[in-house]
Amino acid sequence: MLDRKMLSAEHRELAELAAALLDRVASSEPAPERIAQLRWQMTRKLLAHLAKEDTLLYPRLIAGSDRRAAALATRFADEMGDLAQTYRDYVANWSSDRIVAEWPGFGIETRRVMQALTHRIGREETVLYALIPPPPKQRTVA
């Protein structure tokens, strides 16, 4: 069952991880082990969250009777592909060795990617998630 509270809780976790990464890159010295841990957690949570949106949220809104919700879900799904690829490229392009060697550049790239991700989370929370239909009422058995 698709649950807005669950999706929003996942957004909060992703935003907390993004904030932790941003806090880490604000330091003058890299900490490759901590960065690797944070990026692993971010990747794991982000991929699981995106899978829920791709398989549960977008198809449900697109197939629903609300034409506005369907159009918006289609647009969000298309946009997410670009952001997901940007994130995958960010992880693939920045090895621990490169992070240490190019610390200022890693900080710039991390800020760019995390800003895009947190902006997306904000838009989903305020625009898209507002269109998720409430769950059906459960029937009670007498």
Side-chain angles (χ1 to χ4, degrees), residues 48-95:
H49 180 77
L50 294 178
K52 288 176 190 167
E53 288 182 340
D54 288 346
T55 60
L56 299 173
L57 177 61
Y58 299 139
R60 179 177 174 192
L61 292 176
I62 290 168
S65 60
D66 184 337
R67 304 318 298 149
R68 179 175 168 255
L72 199 57
T74 299
R75 192 174 92 224
F76 269 74
D78 291 343
E79 289 173 4
M80 194 62 228
D82 293 340
L83 183 54
Q85 187 59 51
T86 297
Y87 181 80
R88 281 193 287 281
D89 292 345
Y90 159 76
V91 170
N93 291 332
W94 288 96
S95 67

Side-chain angles (χ1 to χ4, degrees), residues 11 76 116-128:
H11 273 172
F76 269 74
L117 182 62
T118 56
H119 177 71
R120 170 60 182 230
I121 287 170
R123 286 182 54 228
E124 283 186 347
E125 286 292 328
T126 58
V127 178
L128 187 66

Side-chain angles (χ1 to χ4, degrees), residues 34-53:
R34 179 65 178 141
I35 291 168
Q37 178 187 36
L38 288 168
R39 291 196 322 161
W40 179 82
Q41 290 174 325
M42 172 71 80
T43 300
R44 185 175 54 87
K45 290 187 183 293
L46 182 60
L47 292 178
H49 180 77
L50 294 178
K52 288 176 190 167
E53 288 182 340

